[in-house]
Amino acid sequence: MNARWAGIDPGLYFVTGSALCARAGRSVAVTAAAAVAGGAGLVQVRDKNLSDADFLVLSRQIWEAIQRGVEGTGRRVPLVINGRIAVSRRLRAGGAG
């Protein structure tokens, strides 16, 4: 594996689901943090029903939860955002990624 993947374990890929998290009584960020604690090496944000503004808020919450979860571990867990280029750019401009 090349240096770009250093510290990343792609063996377990977690895809968020806002409706499923709500039914379980947990926020998406809390659920993503639990997935990372359980070994997820990649997290993808999905919610086709949110506006870009709300999707950005959700993505920031998840990013922050991931960062808290990997702090001090040497792990890197990328946040994947599909089909929302403007959101991805704004998230990166805010320090994520």
Side-chain angles (χ1 to χ4, degrees), residues 1 5 10-11 27-28 30 35-37 40-41 47-49 55 57-58 60 64-65 74-77 85 93:
M1 212 171 273
W5 286 91
S27 74
V28 178
V30 166
V36 169
D47 193 318
K48 295 182 184 230
N49 298 317
F55 192 86
V57 169
L58 176 63
R60 276 197 184 119
E64 291 166 1
R75 292 178 64 205
R76 292 179 34 221
V77 178
I85 306 262

Side-chain angles (χ1 to χ4, degrees), residues 17 25 27 34 46 65 71 80 84:
S27 74
R46 288 195 54 141
E71 189 174 358
V80 178
R84 303 270 189 135

Side-chain angles (χ1 to χ4, degrees), residues 25-71:
R26 292 187 300 262
S27 74
V28 178
V30 166
T31 305
V36 169
L42 292 149
V43 175
Q44 179 180 344
V45 183
R46 288 195 54 141
D47 193 318
K48 295 182 184 230
N49 298 317
L50 290 179
S51 68
D52 279 356
D54 290 337
F55 192 86
L56 177 62
V57 169
L58 176 63
S59 297
R60 276 197 184 119
Q61 292 169 347
I62 294 168
W63 175 255
E64 291 166 1
I66 290 169
Q67 297 316 298
R68 286 190 301 272
V70 299
E71 189 174 358

